[in-house]
Amino acid sequence: MKAFVAAPRSAALRALNYEPAVERIRRAGSSSAMPLQDVVKALGPAYGSVFTRLDCSPSHGVELIAQSDMFSAEPSGRVIRRDSMPQPERHLVTRGQVLIAGAGTLGENELYGRAILADNRLAGKYVGPDSMSLHFEEPDNDFSLFAYAWLASRTGLQAIRSTSYGTKILRLRRDLLGSLPVPIAPTDIMVRVAGLVRRCVADRERFLEDLHAARRLVEALPAMKSAWEMCSERRRHSLVWTSPLPSLSAWNVASTGGALRYLQGQWDSTLGDVIHSDGVYYGTRFARVACQPPHGIDFMSQRDAMLIRPAPRRIVHPGFAERQLYARPGTILVGAQGTLGEGEIFGRAVLVHDRSAKVAFTEHLLRIVPTDGRALSLYAYLTTTVGFRLLRTTAVGTKLLSLREDMLRTLPVPEWPDELATAVSDLVRSAFDARDRAENAEEEAIRIVEEEVLPQWLG
């Protein structure tokens, strides 16, 4: 990349700090753009702060979210004592803040430099030192939301990354970030963009609300309540096991504190009864060769599949059958290679919906293909706390674990009235419809910025 700079600044001597698009906007003059620092009242008040995290019980602590948690479809952070942070109010996330991943590398699909607007899924949680938070004077006004769409665009990402300093792990410079010019568009365009961003935020909140409502219906089953008491808190367990042992690891029978055997005694149905005969399989390993659109296909890792706004890689089609690369709508993907940390992706499930059916997935995501009519209710069950613990009982291996397919088929699944299964399925369907609407609205807002606003500076 080359940048021809008319007025190099003594504070920024690296070529990385001169993004051509940003320099063109600067040359357009103050009447066409406004520095970011003039539209925010605080820029990263907790960014770069150092503190020792003191873990505690969820009932006594606050949730600290990492960069990956900010972009997760279902944010879930680490619970720490609030007094771990010297000034906790600076770390608190409120609705309408823009959160930026503030530490990382310049990889094409890395989170570093990406921005997301905080909604009720994130509000009330706390960010760590690697997250840059922008506090707008008026978070919900049209210009603030338009500024977010600009920062979330491809050009905005490049602009944010141009404020980097460091060597291996880059970080953002407040002074350079604050000086980034935010283009000023005609009022009608800013109103359109802001309306789309508001719709995106509302639908993302609806997505999580409906998912939680579906899980509450599942968790209200009497057997689920008892199982939850046994396994909700991860701790050491011991029990007497008289049935055949599926492996030589005590983890596979004892990790749920007896919930596995209890549910096997309560329900006759197993996962193998509600999926196709060939409905549990891994993808195929292959080399990832990078390429540029329109060539190739989008490819998602385990991390990407769990994000609310995925950042897939673009790779050359490896030539395998589509079944090994793609997953049809209704397939449940489970993170199937990793470790047993509470915040890890390993054992967590995600549902393939219409949009994600067009993307190739890593072989490390286990595919579970339910029979017709069972996908939505089964997904709700497997993503409850009990379902998550049961999936992890099938973990085998040493450092990096994987899931045993034969043991997965024997996991107990609920036997419930048709009316309850229908109600759960309707809520899950509503949740993913809302997620699709949110993605479409945000993409359209960013498209307007990139195709109708930026060309007048970048042409």
Side-chain angles (χ1 to χ4, degrees):
M1 181 182 73
K2 296 180 180 179
F4 297 91
V5 186
R9 302 181 297 280
S10 60
L13 299 178
R14 301 176 66 183
L16 172 64
N17 299 139
Y18 294 96
E19 164 59 35
V22 174
E23 297 307 311
R24 290 177 189 170
I25 296 172
R26 289 187 198 278
R27 290 198 295 270
S30 59
S31 61
S32 300
M34 183 181 296
L36 183 60
Q37 62 196 8
D38 290 352
V39 297
V40 298
K41 62 182 179 182
L43 199 150
Y47 186 58
S49 60
V50 178
F51 58 90
T52 301
R53 294 150 177 79
L54 303 174
D55 295 303
C56 67
S57 167
S59 59
H60 294 91
V62 297
E63 200 172 330
L64 182 74
I65 53 174
Q67 292 184 117
S68 56
D69 298 320
M70 295 189 320
F71 293 88
S72 174
E74 300 185 55
S76 177
R78 174 180 175 180
V79 178
I80 65 169
R81 283 170 43 178
R82 191 172 185 272
D83 60 5
S84 297
M85 300 167 277
Q87 295 176 298
E89 66 281 354
R90 294 189 173 188
H91 298 257
L92 179 64
V93 178
T94 58
R95 194 176 190 272
Q97 288 178 358
V98 173
L99 305 178
I100 301 174
T105 63
L106 298 174
E108 183 67 23
N109 71 322
E110 293 297 320
L111 292 180
Y112 176 63
R114 298 183 188 274
I116 191 162
L117 189 65
D119 51 32
N120 286 335
R121 298 174 312 113
L122 294 165
K125 304 179 190 297
Y126 291 72
V127 293
D130 293 335
S131 302
M132 173 70 73
S133 57
L134 307 182
H135 304 236
F136 286 92
E137 293 283 356
E138 299 179 62
D140 196 48
N141 74 5
D142 291 343
F143 186 73
S144 297
L145 297 177
F146 174 81
Y148 161 69
W150 146 246
L151 293 171
S153 69
R154 177 175 292 274
T155 307
L157 171 62
Q158 294 169 348
I160 293 171
R161 287 183 171 184
S162 75
T163 69
S164 300
Y165 74 96
T167 52
K168 182 173 178 60
I169 300 298
L170 302 177
R171 298 181 68 84
L172 304 174
R173 278 179 52 176
R174 280 193 184 86
D175 58 335
L176 296 184
L177 183 64
S179 70
L180 285 182
V182 179
I184 298 175
T187 302
D188 61 325
I189 290 182
M190 289 198 291
V191 169
R192 285 170 58 201
V193 170
L196 288 165
V197 173
R198 290 189 187 97
R199 190 185 311 165
C200 168
V201 169
D203 281 328
R204 281 181 177 164
E205 292 170 346
R206 174 71 180 274
F207 161 72
L208 197 56
E209 289 168 2
D210 285 351
L211 272 188
H212 285 173
R215 289 173 189 149
R216 283 195 295 270
L217 291 179
V218 179
E219 290 166 343
L221 292 169
M224 287 288 286
K225 290 181 180 179
S226 300
W228 185 88
E229 293 290 340
M230 298 176 191
C231 69
S232 60
E233 183 182 351
R234 182 174 168 180
R235 59 180 186 273
R236 294 183 181 89
H237 296 290
S238 63
L239 72 159
V240 177
W241 185 267
T242 56
S243 304
L245 288 170
S247 74
L248 296 179
S249 172
W251 170 269
N252 299 123
V253 295
S255 60
T256 60
L260 173 61
R261 183 165 57 183
Y262 171 76
L263 291 177
Q264 287 173 334
Q266 294 293 310
W267 301 327
D268 292 330
S269 261
T270 64
L271 187 63
D273 298 329
V274 296
I275 62 175
H276 291 283
S277 57
D278 58 349
V280 180
Y281 65 98
Y282 286 93
T284 302
R285 293 177 62 87
F286 58 90
R288 283 79 149 160
V289 180
C291 67
Q292 295 293 326
H295 308 290
I297 58 176
D298 285 334
F299 173 80
M300 284 196 196
S301 65
Q302 292 187 98
R303 181 211 69 179
D304 297 326
M306 304 294 169
L307 300 183
I308 194 69
R309 192 175 71 222
R313 294 170 59 184
R314 193 75 179 179
I315 64 168
V316 174
H317 194 298
F320 295 131
E322 290 196 353
R323 186 174 187 268
Q324 299 297 323
L325 291 174
Y326 300 95
R328 71 184 192 188
T331 301
I332 298 170
L333 303 177
V334 183
Q337 184 170 52
T339 61
L340 296 171
E342 283 296 277
E344 297 293 323
I345 290 173
F346 182 69
R348 300 192 184 276
V350 64
L351 183 70
V352 176
H353 50 114
D354 290 338
R355 289 175 62 93
S356 56
K358 304 169 185 175
V359 180
F361 292 100
T362 175
E363 72 274 10
H364 301 315
L365 284 166
L366 184 74
R367 282 75 160 166
I368 298 177
V369 187
T371 53
D372 293 342
R374 300 301 297 264
L376 302 181
S377 56
L378 181 62
Y379 167 75
Y381 165 63
L382 292 178
T383 53
T384 61
T385 299
V386 173
F388 168 63
R389 299 289 187 211
L390 291 178
L391 285 172
R392 281 194 166 186
T393 65
T394 67
V396 294
T398 52
K399 183 173 177 59
L400 283 180
L401 305 175
S402 58
L403 302 180
R404 273 257 305 263
E405 299 164 46
D406 59 330
M407 292 168 63
L408 276 163
R409 289 181 175 277
T410 65
L411 292 180
V413 298
E415 297 169 346
W416 44 22
D418 291 340
E419 302 80 26
L420 178 58
T422 300
V424 171
S425 297
D426 288 345
L427 284 167
V428 174
R429 185 179 298 107
S430 173
F432 279 90
D433 286 347
R435 178 172 176 173
D436 284 343
R437 292 194 303 270
E439 291 185 29
N440 291 335
E442 188 171 58
E443 284 181 0
E444 177 62 12
I446 292 172
R447 186 203 65 78
I448 293 171
V449 173
E450 291 180 332
E451 297 181 10
E452 300 183 28
V453 177
L454 294 181
Q456 60 184 304
W457 286 281
L458 307 183

